[in-house]
Amino acid sequence: MGIEESSEVTFTTFQLKGVVYQWWRAYELGSPAEAISLAWAQFLDMFMREFVPKSLRDKWSVEFEQLCQSAMTVSEYAVRFSDLSRHTPTFIATVKERVRQFIEGLKPGIKFSMT
C-alpha cells in the first residue's frame, strides 16, 4: 500500500511529535491560509535543513556522488544507492538522472551491458 504523492506531507506531519511537531506547527501558523501545500521534496528539504547537521548532509552528498558498486553485489549497491539518495533528495532532480547516476556507479562490465 503506497501513499499518493499529494498526501505524503499530510500523512507524515500527522505523525510528528515533540520538537518536530512544534517546528511544523510554527511553520503552518506562519504560512498564509491560501498558501499552496508543500511538495514532498520541499518538505524533506526543509526538514533536513532544520534537523540534520550540514556536515552530515554534505557527507551523504559526497558519498552519494562517489558511490560505485566496487565489491558489492548489484543488490547491495542498489540498496546503498537508494539509502543515500533518500538523504540527498535535491541532488537528482529527475528519474532519468537517477537512472544515469545508478548506471554510472556499476562495474564496467555490467554498465556496458546496460547501455
Side-chain angles (χ1 to χ4, degrees):
M1 178 175 108
I3 301 169
E4 287 190 34
E5 189 173 333
S6 61
S7 302
E8 289 173 327
V9 174
T10 303
F11 180 77
T12 300
T13 56
F14 179 75
Q15 300 178 69
L16 299 178
K17 293 181 170 86
V19 174
V20 182
Y21 173 77
Q22 295 301 323
W23 163 78
W24 178 249
R25 192 72 183 128
Y27 170 80
E28 284 184 312
L29 292 172
S31 298
E34 67 278 354
I36 298 172
S37 298
L38 286 177
W40 177 250
Q42 293 170 307
F43 171 79
L44 191 55
D45 185 54
M46 285 174 46
F47 179 87
M48 297 281 276
R49 280 188 281 121
E50 186 68 26
F51 294 103
V52 179
K54 181 156 176 30
S55 59
L56 186 54
R57 288 181 282 139
D58 290 345
K59 178 184 173 272
W60 286 333
S61 290
V62 168
E63 196 174 337
F64 184 64
E65 289 175 33
Q66 297 174 350
L67 182 65
C68 8
Q69 183 185 0
S70 302
M72 292 182 269
T73 66
V74 173
S75 295
E76 291 167 336
Y77 170 68
V79 167
R80 187 69 184 139
F81 183 92
S82 180
D83 185 46
L84 286 172
S85 68
R86 283 186 308 115
H87 298 301
T88 54
T90 56
F91 184 74
I92 298 181
T94 66
V95 172
K96 185 177 181 178
E97 291 174 22
R98 182 180 172 95
V99 170
R100 184 199 56 74
Q101 178 79 14
F102 182 85
I103 291 171
E104 279 300 311
L106 290 169
K107 291 179 183 175
I110 297 170
K111 183 187 330 182
F112 177 74
S113 67
M114 296 203 57
T115 55

